Amino acid sequence: EGDLWLVHGKWYNLGEFVQHHPGGPDWLLLTRGQDITEAFEVHHLNVPKVQHELNKYYVKDASEEYTGRYSWFDRGFYQTLKKRVAAHFKDASKTGRIMDATGPTNPFLALCAFALAVHFLNFAALLCWPCWTVAVLAGFTLQPFHGIGHNF
């Protein structure tokens, strides 16, 4: 079971899927052989779609001694909250797609473009006038990319 992943008391062999995971392979590679139920639940709003994909890799049920750390009852608090949040964002979207309501806003995209332009102008200035002050300024202009990267 060291080469499998446990989700809701079922073992899956995601080895073939790892390189195709939309969130990248790193996290899956680091969690091989572990119970990843919590992360599965909190990172996937469209559980039926994801569960359909996951079912392709089913291997076996966990032992009868297995008990998860949390309850994931369909009518429990977390599942109810998750469904209500998904419904809210689906209703908030003009297209009915959750991602359209939770994606970046136009002002945020403009801010991203501005941060990118400022960084590249500083980098160009550093190439023309190599000095430590411009290098430090160019380094500071990298900081916004940390936040930007977490929103896409």
Side-chain angles (χ1 to χ4, degrees), residues 34-68:
Q34 299 177 34
D35 184 352
I36 60 169
T37 303
E38 292 86 2
F40 174 83
E41 283 291 337
V42 300
H43 289 285
H44 301 105
L45 277 178
N46 190 349
V47 172
K49 178 182 176 185
V50 177
Q51 187 65 52
H52 176 74
E53 184 68 25
L54 191 62
N55 288 341
K56 297 175 186 176
Y57 303 99
Y58 173 79
V59 175
K60 63 182 179 177
D61 287 346
S63 68
E64 291 188 23
E65 295 87 41
Y66 169 79
T67 54

Side-chain angles (χ1 to χ4, degrees), residues 114-149:
F114 176 74
L116 190 63
V118 168
H119 174 69
F120 281 112
L121 286 173
N122 274 305
F123 186 73
L126 181 60
L127 294 175
C128 294
W129 303 287
C131 67
W132 71 270
T133 53
V134 178
V136 169
L137 187 59
F140 277 120
T141 63
L142 280 174
Q143 181 56 33
F145 294 115
H146 174 74
I148 292 169

Side-chain angles (χ1 to χ4, degrees), residues 62-82:
S63 68
E64 291 188 23
E65 295 87 41
Y66 169 79
T67 54
R69 290 184 284 263
Y70 303 101
S71 66
W72 301 102
F73 301 118
D74 194 44
R75 294 177 154 233
F77 173 76
Y78 180 76
Q79 296 298 346
T80 301
L81 177 65
K82 186 175 180 178

Side-chain angles (χ1 to χ4, degrees), residues 94-108:
K94 293 177 180 70
T95 64
R97 290 176 12 135
I98 292 171
M99 288 304 295
D100 292 338
T102 60
T105 62
N106 287 335
F108 182 74

